[in-house]
């Protein structure tokens, strides 16, 4: 009953927010779903803003900076996990889904955040880590206490092989065996990630119900949606069998063996029916391992969720996610094809995609996707244009709007991320030199995007008055929110400009998407068109001037150029332009 009332209230609130946000004169939106018409922003809570000087970002820190997000036009904040956690994987190991970790604040702070954000037209999106819990979660402690307790089957337990070794040779995503032996039960438990992150057994209906209850607790609090972490791993194969060893450790990567196992959609459909149907919340899944051809089953008319993060474009340079030392070269047409592919695959069933170039697991996009030596301001604007004008809901990673770049620390000891250390060890065990392993760490470490947000040029970039849990990137005196706000040519102001353009030129949000010049090796170009207007977006992602056939913008007006001025048919290095004309031309 309580949930029904909340659902009605949630729908009414969202309708009011939408009316307030659309303003008079704005063109008709594709539909009334608020999350298709907004910009989402990822907050890595530890690194966003520290309100109490302990060096760790917290919920009250987020409340302090909500105006920054409002100015950017953000309507949804994806909060990385801030539940009670031993922090073996910075919160992706949850001990209690109903409690806020004291390092981040209290449930009262969370209620205040939801309400303060709501006042600014912003909804909070919670990160639900449901493939696994922490090994300190009471559910797991009970499960591991013996073979005959009520939760004994809530996790994935298996007997050793005859020689006492692990049930299979699966390698966890973070390296090492995916099985951990437990003395009390005399059995192994499965962990797709760290040994501190035991996998839940979704085959057990009680587990599924417990997770549905968690989600509905948060729906009742008025959140706007969920990100489902590592969701492609929840269904395991019916038979556990060794895979073909794929590295010197004799193990076989678990991803290829368990991701996207048939039957997974039934679990997700059940979850959707019990949690999101009849509400206005959205569900976005982290769906590594779902090929683009399967997108219609996951999102859209018959989809089991509203959007999925399809990550082929961020993995373009990494054929084997475990081996950071083995990268591959790529050219722009291939990268563009991956974007356009997910657009194509979702067209028929009206599916929707989240657009993203960065997140807390990826390097900064300026380093990742632009040629070495690219000007970071021009480059940040070029990538920002892609992010904010492709069809889908843009997800900005905190700091991306400031054009932040990778750190370049020289010793492995400078890095904190547990997976970075495991990848480094794996590289050495595979026979790569320390220099090679370190170069790979600098390129791919998850800490690159996790350094504290740079707010001002004060000590520690205004992130904390204490000692930050992870050092601030030492370029903060030049690149920070305060100085970028004051500089009309900054990456931040370009983001704000584009965010406003999205409100004034609705085709940038609800228009169709059609790629132009797919074979062009420098320029990413596409048309966005709705019933009223047509926009052509051209982005030079190279550090050389580029030419294109100007016929595609004939008779159209220049809306904006990141280089200040534009000549049809020509783009300066890293220049992004948007032209507009009437629909149907
Ligand atoms: C997801 C998260 C990542 C985390 C992992 C295990 O991939 O994005 O940060 O380490 O799941 O929960």
């Amino acid at each position: 009953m309580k949930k029904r009332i909340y659902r009605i209230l949630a729908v009414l609130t969202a309708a009011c927010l939408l009316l307030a946000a659309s303003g008079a004169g704005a063109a008709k939106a594709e539909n009334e779903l608020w999350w298709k018409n907004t910009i989402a922003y990822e907050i890595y809570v530890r690194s966003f803003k520290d309100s109490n000087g302990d060096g760790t970002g917290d919920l009250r820190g987020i409340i302090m900076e909500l105006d920054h997000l409002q100015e950017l036009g953000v309507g949804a904040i994806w909060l990385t996990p801030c539940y009670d956690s031993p922090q073996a994987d910075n919160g992706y190991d949850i001990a209690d889904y109903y409690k806020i970790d004291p390092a981040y604040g209290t449930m009262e702070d969370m209620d205040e955040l939801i309400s303060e954000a709501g006042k600014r037209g912003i909804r909070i999106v919670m990160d639900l880590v449901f493939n696994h819990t922490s090994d300190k979660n009471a559910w797991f402690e009970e499960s591991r206490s013996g073979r005959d307790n009520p939760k004994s089957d809530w996790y994935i337990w298996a007997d050793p092989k005859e020689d006492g070794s692990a049930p299979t040779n699966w390698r966890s995503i973070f390296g090492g065996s995916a099985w951990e032996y437990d003395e009390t039960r005399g059995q192994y438990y499965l962990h797709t990630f760290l040994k501190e992150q035991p996998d839940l057994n979704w085959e057990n209906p009680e587990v599924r119900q417990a997770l549905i209850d968690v989600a509905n607790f948060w729906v009742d609090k008025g959140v706007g949606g969920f990100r489902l972490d590592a969701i492609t791993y929840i269904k395991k194969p019916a038979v556990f069998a060794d895979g073909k060893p794929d590295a010197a450790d004799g193990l076989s990567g678990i991803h290829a063996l368990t991701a996207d196992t048939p039957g997974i959609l039934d679990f997700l459909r059940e979850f959707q029916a019990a949690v999101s149907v009849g509400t206005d919340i959205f569900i976005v899944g982290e769906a590594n391992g779902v090929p683009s051809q399967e997108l219609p089953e996951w999102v859209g008319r018959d989809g089991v969720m509203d959007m999925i993060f399809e990550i082929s474009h961020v993995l373009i340079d990494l054929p084997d996610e475990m081996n950071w030392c083995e990268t591959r070269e790529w050219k722009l047409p291939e990268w563009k094809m991956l974007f356009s592919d997910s657009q194509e695959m979702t067209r028929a069933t009206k599916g929707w995609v989240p657009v993203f170039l960065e997140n807390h697991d990826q390097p900064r996009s300026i380093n990742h996707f632009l040629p070495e030596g690219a000007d970071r301001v021009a480059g940040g604007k070029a990538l920002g244009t892609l992010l904010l004008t492709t069809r889908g809901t843009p997800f900005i990673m905190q700091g991306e709007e400031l054009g932040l770049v990778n750190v370049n620390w020289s010793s492995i000891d400078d890095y904190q991320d547990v997976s970075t250390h495991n990848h480094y060890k794996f590289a050495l065990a595979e026979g790569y030199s320390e220099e090679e392993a370190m170069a790979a760490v600098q390129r791919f470490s998850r800490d690159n995007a996790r350094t504290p947000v740079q707010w001002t040029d004060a000590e520690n970039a205004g992130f904390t008055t204490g000692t930050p849990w992870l050092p601030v990137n030492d370029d903060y005196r030049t690149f920070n929110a305060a100085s970028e706000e004051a500089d009309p040519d900054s990456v931040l102001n370009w983001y704000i400009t584009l965010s406003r353009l999205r409100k004034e030129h609705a085709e940038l949000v609800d228009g169709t998407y059609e790629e132009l010049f797919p074979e062009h090796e420098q320029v990413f170009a596409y048309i966005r068109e709705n019933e009223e207007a047509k926009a052509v977006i051209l982005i030079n992602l190279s550090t050389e001037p580029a030419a294109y056939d100007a016929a595609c913008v004939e008779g159209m007006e220049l809306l904006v150029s990141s280089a200040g001025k534009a000549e049809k048919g020509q783009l300066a290095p890293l220049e992004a332009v948007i032209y507009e004309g009437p629909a149907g031309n």
Side-chain angles (χ1 to χ4, degrees):
M1 181 63 196
K2 186 174 167 214
K3 186 167 168 188
R4 262 228 328 270
I5 295 172
Y6 274 111
R7 286 187 171 187
I8 294 166
L9 282 177
V11 173
L12 286 176
T13 320
C16 294
L17 291 176
L18 197 76
L19 281 179
S22 63
K28 260 194 310 187
E30 181 186 58
N31 52 51
E32 300 300 305
L33 294 174
W34 67 274
W35 46 268
K36 287 192 176 181
N37 296 290
T38 198
I39 295 174
Y41 186 94
E42 179 186 352
I43 288 189
Y44 195 69
V45 182
R46 283 181 93 76
S47 305
F48 188 70
K49 175 84 178 185
D50 172 20
S51 72
N52 61 0
D54 66 359
T56 300
D58 48 43
L59 299 181
R60 302 212 69 81
I62 301 173
I63 297 173
M64 288 161 72
E65 299 295 349
L66 284 172
D67 291 343
H68 171 80
L69 302 182
Q70 190 178 18
E71 179 72 5
L72 258 181
V74 167
I77 295 175
W78 154 22
L79 282 188
T80 57
C82 46
Y83 318 90
D84 195 27
S85 160
Q87 306 289 333
D89 185 20
N90 289 358
Y92 281 91
D93 46 323
I94 298 174
D96 186 344
Y97 295 94
Y98 295 98
K99 191 175 167 223
I100 300 298
D101 194 290
Y104 299 136
T106 62
M107 195 55 92
E108 286 69 43
D109 295 333
M110 177 57 91
D111 291 336
E112 194 176 326
L113 173 59
I114 293 171
S115 141
E116 284 301 314
K119 287 181 195 159
R120 293 165 177 83
I122 302 174
R123 307 278 299 269
I124 299 295
V125 174
M126 298 299 281
D127 205 329
L128 294 179
V129 186
F130 279 175
N131 174 67
H132 46 268
T133 67
S134 158
D135 61 344
K136 299 291 178 305
N137 191 304
W139 298 346
F140 185 70
E141 299 206 314
E142 188 174 338
S143 189
R144 84 186 315 177
S145 68
R147 294 193 190 199
D148 55 3
N149 65 75
K151 293 199 171 50
S152 73
D153 191 29
W154 277 42
Y155 291 81
I156 298 175
W157 294 97
D159 292 331
K161 279 184 180 158
E162 265 173 25
D163 64 359
S165 65
T168 66
N169 67 346
W170 299 350
R171 180 191 310 106
S172 80
I173 303 245
F174 289 159
S177 171
W179 295 98
E180 183 70 12
Y181 187 68
D182 182 83
E183 292 285 343
T184 315
R185 287 187 58 139
Q187 286 183 304
Y188 284 84
Y189 65 85
L190 183 69
H191 56 91
T192 299
F193 295 88
L194 297 176
K195 70 176 182 354
E196 293 85 358
Q197 295 169 303
D199 280 32
L200 283 159
N201 178 14
W202 275 66
E203 300 299 334
N204 183 334
E206 286 175 21
V207 170
R208 303 203 299 275
Q209 187 57 49
L211 299 176
I212 286 169
D213 291 345
V214 168
N216 281 332
F217 168 81
W218 289 99
V219 172
D220 284 352
K221 280 209 168 280
V223 300
F226 296 115
R227 172 206 185 244
L228 299 185
D229 181 72
I231 202 64
T232 33
Y233 301 110
I234 57 173
K235 177 88 184 175
K236 315 297 185 222
V239 178
F240 292 175
D242 279 353
K244 197 162 156 274
D246 57 21
D249 60 8
L251 301 177
S252 182
I254 194 169
H255 173 81
L257 300 164
T258 66
D260 195 19
T261 298
I264 189 170
L265 296 174
D266 297 334
F267 287 159
L268 294 172
R269 202 163 284 117
E270 177 189 65
F271 183 79
Q272 178 187 42
V275 173
S276 75
V277 171
T279 74
D280 70 336
I281 69 159
F282 73 83
I283 297 182
V284 57
E286 186 201 22
N288 191 359
V290 175
S292 60
Q293 311 85 274
E294 281 183 25
L295 273 168
E297 294 168 45
W298 284 74
V299 297
R301 220 171 21 230
D302 309 315
V304 291
M305 50 183 76
D306 301 295
M307 303 184 256
I308 62 172
F309 288 110
E310 205 265 308
I311 63 177
S312 48
H313 64 292
V314 297
L315 292 181
I316 190 164
D317 47 359
L318 217 47
D320 170 5
E321 274 186 83
M322 192 62 226
N323 189 349
W324 285 356
C325 290
E326 195 189 308
T327 55
R328 63 182 281 274
E329 297 296 316
W330 53 276
K331 289 218 157 78
L332 190 61
E334 189 192 349
W335 196 60
K336 295 192 291 186
M337 195 191 70
L338 297 173
F339 270 84
S340 299
D341 211 30
S342 43
Q343 297 290 345
E344 272 312 313
M345 291 300 159
T346 47
R347 203 190 298 267
T349 54
K350 294 210 175 309
W352 196 251
V353 294
V355 185
F356 77 104
L357 299 170
E358 293 183 9
N359 63 35
H360 65 284
D361 295 329
Q362 296 294 328
R364 289 296 187 180
S365 54
I366 291 175
N367 305 86
H368 200 177
F369 302 120
L370 295 180
E372 228 179 298
D375 178 271
R376 63 185 281 181
V377 175
K381 291 180 188 179
L383 291 171
T385 310
L386 181 63
L387 185 61
L388 291 167
T389 65
T390 321
R391 180 175 167 277
T393 300
F395 276 72
I396 302 173
M397 171 64 192
Q398 64 182 35
E400 191 174 7
E401 79 281 18
L402 305 175
L404 297 192
V405 297
N406 286 354
V407 284
N408 208 13
W409 296 328
S410 54
S411 156
I412 185 65
D413 300 330
D414 296 332
Y415 291 82
Q416 291 220 12
D417 169 39
V418 61
S419 102
T420 300
H421 284 268
N422 290 353
H423 278 87
Y424 180 77
K425 280 187 220 138
F426 179 86
L428 296 182
E430 285 292 291
Y432 293 98
S433 68
E434 274 177 30
E435 291 69 38
E436 286 168 319
M438 225 24 243
V441 162
Q442 287 165 344
R443 181 163 170 182
F444 290 112
S445 172
R446 306 196 298 179
D447 281 345
N448 281 312
R450 297 179 177 186
T451 56
V453 170
Q454 298 164 207
W455 294 106
T456 68
D457 63 4
E459 200 176 349
N460 294 320
F463 161 71
T464 180
T465 53
T467 307
W469 73 276
L470 189 69
V472 176
N473 192 326
D474 54 20
D475 61 9
Y476 71 90
R477 291 202 192 272
T478 318
F479 294 94
N480 60 70
S483 67
E484 293 198 30
E485 259 161 43
D487 173 3
D489 294 326
S490 65
V491 177
L492 176 60
N493 274 314
W494 181 250
Y495 269 70
I496 293 172
T497 301
L498 292 182
S499 162
R500 290 192 184 138
L501 278 184
R502 286 168 58 91
K503 294 217 170 82
E504 292 153 12
H505 304 271
E507 75 276 12
L508 294 175
V509 177
D510 64 18
T512 53
Y513 170 92
E514 190 194 328
E515 193 186 342
L516 292 168
F517 321 127
E519 298 305 323
H520 204 303
E521 297 215 339
Q522 294 172 276
V523 177
F524 203 152
Y526 42 92
I527 303 174
R528 303 292 316 278
E529 185 169 7
N530 66 9
E531 280 167 13
E532 280 100 38
K534 166 175 164 179
V536 172
I537 295 104
L538 296 130
I539 308 167
N540 181 0
L541 288 170
S542 80
T543 47
E544 301 293 325
Y548 64 91
D549 181 353
C552 68
V553 290
E554 205 183 295
M556 298 178 94
E557 297 279 324
L558 179 70
L559 278 186
V560 68
S561 154
S562 63
K565 58 179 169 34
E567 192 186 325
K568 285 185 178 167
Q570 299 291 330
L571 291 167
L574 297 168
E575 179 181 4
V577 293
I578 306 179
Y579 288 92
E580 192 187 52
N585 268 359

